[in-house]
């Protein structure tokens, strides 16, 4: 069992990584919450597989559990399903000492986290991510929210969990496509923060794709440790350090938005976005060409998309979507760029012409 601490003073918490954590959920959660009543929020894919085990563990620890099952998919991160969750919590009579347990991938974690941040002006939340993407990214750091038709994560809050339980056993049944999508975020941590970690990923690509438990535990642990360092330095994006975590996300989020949150998984969209960001980095902040090529080849070896044959109408749409990005200032589209693998900086304004030029390079 591996433990990573997120150091945020009174809001500090532990991330637990290892097998068998679902059956230990009640015992772990009992140490960090005061209330006895909770809601377990999951979706119709994860719920039938894991909800019973987690509910049993919670009940064995003395908790009264209400189950809320939502449709799976990015479209569930919406005002409609947010309202549904509020209604279910009210019917279950949860009070301010009650807490939520988010069991599922990033969609469930983001939505449930925002429900917890806003219901009764804020109740506790526990994150139990069941996908690699959620384990290394969305479950850690307290960013929660929902999408609007205009763009991704435009409504949200900062609401840190009381603890995060990353059960590596859940990855055994994870579809290969979703595993690869999670590895896109793992690669990002190497690009922005740790060149040695990036090299380790290059050397262990095959093991990671085969779901080797030791390799995945190391990848999750290092990814969470890097994110924890960044979050501890800049919890609410006031200094700019946390913006580094958005490397590849400016174009990636735009791609998700114009595709209707269905054509690409998040990790697939940001794979394309990171390839684009690396090419912009060569042009604008002198990233060595060989580093951009290594980034391209690593995503390619992970069987992630590295090309996008955009039509002219899609180019126009993605520019509009990118203009809504939260990192923008005074209408300027701003990117996180990397001067070399292991180092990145935020706040780089990039013209629409330059963006269109790099989109042109993404054509197969």
């Amino acid at each position: 069992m591996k433990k990573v601490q997120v150091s945020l003073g009174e809001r500090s918490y532990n991330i637990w990584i290892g097998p068998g954590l679902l059956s230990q959920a009640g015992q772990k959660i009992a140490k960090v919450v005061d209330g006895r009543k909770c809601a377990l929020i999951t979706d119709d894919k994860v719920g039938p597989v894991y909800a019973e085990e987690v509910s049993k563990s919670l009940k064995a620890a003395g908790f009264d559990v209400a189950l809320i099952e939502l449709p799976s998919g990015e479209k569930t991160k919406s005002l409609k399903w947010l309202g549904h969750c509020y209604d279910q919590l009210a019917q279950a009579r949860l009070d301010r000492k009650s807490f939520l347990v988010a069991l599922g991938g990033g969609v469930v974690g983001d939505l449930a986290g925002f429900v917890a941040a806003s219901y009764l002006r804020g109740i506790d939340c526990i994150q139990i991510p069941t996908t690699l993407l959620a384990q290394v990214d969305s479950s850690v750091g307290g960013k929660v929210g929902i999408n609007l038709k205009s763009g991704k994560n435009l409504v949200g809050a900062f609401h840190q969990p009381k603890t995060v339980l990353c059960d590596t056993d859940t990855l055994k049944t994870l579809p290969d496509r979703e595993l690869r999508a999670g590895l896109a975020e793992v690669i990002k941590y190497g690009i922005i923060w740790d060149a040695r970690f990036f090299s380790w990923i290059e050397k262990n690509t095959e093991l990671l794709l085969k779901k080797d438990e030791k390799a995945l535990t190391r990848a999750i642990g290092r990814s969470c440790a890097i994110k924890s360092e960044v979050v501890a330095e800049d919890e609410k994006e006031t200094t700019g350090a946390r913006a580094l975590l958005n490397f590849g996300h400016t174009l990636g989020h735009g791609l998700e938005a114009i595709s209707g949150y269905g054509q690409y998984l998040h990790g697939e969209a940001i794979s394309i976005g990171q390839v684009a960001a690396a090419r912009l980095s060569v042009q604008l902040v002198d990233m060595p060409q060989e580093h951009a090529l290594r980034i391209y080849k690593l995503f390619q070896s992970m069987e992630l998309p590295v090309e996008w044959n955009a039509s002219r109408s899609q180019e126009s749409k993605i520019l509009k979507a990118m203009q809504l990005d939260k990192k923008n200032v005074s209408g300027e589209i701003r990117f996180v760029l990397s001067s070399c693998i292991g180092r990145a900086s935020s706040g780089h304004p990039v013209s629409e012409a330059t963006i269109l030029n790099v989109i042109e390079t993404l054509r197969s």
Side-chain angles (χ1 to χ4, degrees):
M1 189 76 63
K2 186 175 182 64
K3 181 177 79 169
V4 175
Q5 185 178 51
V6 183
S7 300
L8 295 169
E10 293 180 354
R11 294 179 305 287
S12 297
Y13 55 94
N14 292 325
I15 304 164
W16 298 94
I17 306 160
L21 279 166
L22 295 188
S23 61
Q24 300 174 43
Q27 156 188 357
K28 292 281 189 191
I29 292 167
K31 295 177 180 178
V32 296
V33 299
D34 296 322
R36 292 290 96 191
K37 189 176 284 190
C38 69
L40 176 61
I41 300 182
T42 188
D43 66 31
D44 56 15
K45 283 188 177 178
V46 174
V49 182
Y50 297 122
E52 184 177 351
E53 183 177 3
V54 176
S55 292
K56 184 178 177 181
S57 178
L58 288 165
K59 289 172 182 176
F63 296 113
D64 180 9
V65 185
L67 178 64
I68 301 174
E69 189 173 278
L70 305 170
S72 59
E74 188 75 25
K75 292 181 180 179
T76 300
K77 274 178 62 173
S78 67
L79 292 167
K80 173 185 173 181
W81 291 106
L82 178 70
H84 173 78
C85 289
Y86 291 147
D87 289 338
Q88 293 294 303
L89 298 186
Q91 287 179 28
R93 300 193 179 279
L94 266 67
D95 58 32
R96 296 193 73 178
K97 285 197 172 181
S98 303
F99 61 94
L100 302 187
V101 179
L103 174 67
V107 168
V108 167
D110 283 356
L111 176 61
F114 187 56
V115 172
S118 49
Y119 184 71
L120 299 179
R121 297 189 175 88
I123 61 176
D124 288 340
C125 184
I126 310 296
Q127 293 280 354
I128 307 183
T130 58
T131 67
L132 179 60
L133 182 66
Q135 289 179 358
V136 301
D137 183 43
S138 58
S139 66
V140 180
K143 270 178 134 180
V144 295
I146 60 171
N147 303 328
L148 300 179
K149 289 181 181 179
S150 302
K152 190 175 172 76
N153 297 327
L154 293 181
V155 177
F158 291 97
H159 191 64
Q160 300 294 342
K162 297 297 287 185
T163 193
V164 180
L165 308 179
C166 299
D167 190 331
T168 52
D169 284 339
T170 64
L171 303 181
K172 293 176 182 177
T173 58
L174 190 68
D176 290 344
R177 184 185 177 193
E178 291 194 27
L179 179 86
R180 293 193 297 268
L183 289 169
E185 288 283 3
V186 173
I187 293 168
K188 177 196 74 179
Y189 291 114
I191 295 171
I192 67 166
W193 202 261
D194 188 342
R196 286 187 180 181
F197 184 45
F198 186 92
S199 297
W200 178 86
I201 299 167
E202 288 178 311
K203 293 171 186 172
N204 290 276
T205 298
E206 190 174 342
L207 287 175
L208 291 167
L209 289 173
K210 287 181 177 179
K211 301 180 184 176
D212 178 83
E213 185 174 310
K214 186 176 179 181
L216 282 174
T217 299
R218 179 167 177 180
I220 296 165
R222 184 59 188 139
S223 298
C224 287
I226 291 170
K227 185 160 188 180
S228 299
E229 289 178 48
V230 176
V231 171
E233 186 176 328
D234 184 19
E235 181 183 1
K236 296 186 177 180
E237 293 187 338
T238 54
T239 68
R242 185 161 181 165
L244 300 183
L245 298 170
N246 288 313
F247 182 82
H249 287 57
T250 302
L251 190 143
H253 278 171
L255 185 53
E256 286 182 278
I258 69 167
S259 304
Y261 300 114
Q263 181 179 348
Y264 294 96
L265 296 177
H266 173 70
E268 293 170 340
I270 67 154
S271 172
I272 296 170
Q274 288 182 78
V275 170
R279 290 176 181 173
L280 286 171
S281 297
V282 172
Q283 293 180 46
L284 302 176
V285 294
D286 297 325
M287 170 184 269
Q289 182 67 49
E290 66 202 58
H291 286 214
L293 185 59
R294 283 175 66 194
I295 290 167
Y296 175 86
K297 286 184 174 179
L298 183 52
F299 282 113
Q300 195 175 45
S301 69
M302 289 292 187
E303 301 172 38
L304 283 158
V306 291
E307 297 167 342
W308 181 42
N309 291 312
S311 65
R312 296 305 172 198
S313 64
Q314 286 175 316
E315 289 178 356
S316 176
K317 287 177 182 177
I318 200 168
L319 286 173
K320 288 180 181 177
M322 291 165 69
Q323 285 164 356
L324 287 169
D325 191 280
K326 297 184 293 297
K327 297 182 297 301
N328 295 344
V329 178
S330 301
E332 283 187 323
I333 298 175
R334 301 202 170 203
F335 274 73
V336 178
L337 300 177
S338 170
S339 58
C340 62
I341 291 171
R343 188 180 305 161
S345 54
S346 62
H348 297 277
V350 181
S351 71
E352 291 186 3
T354 303
I355 294 168
L356 290 174
N357 285 339
V358 85
I359 288 173
E360 187 66 32
T361 74
L362 296 171
R363 298 183 193 281
S364 58

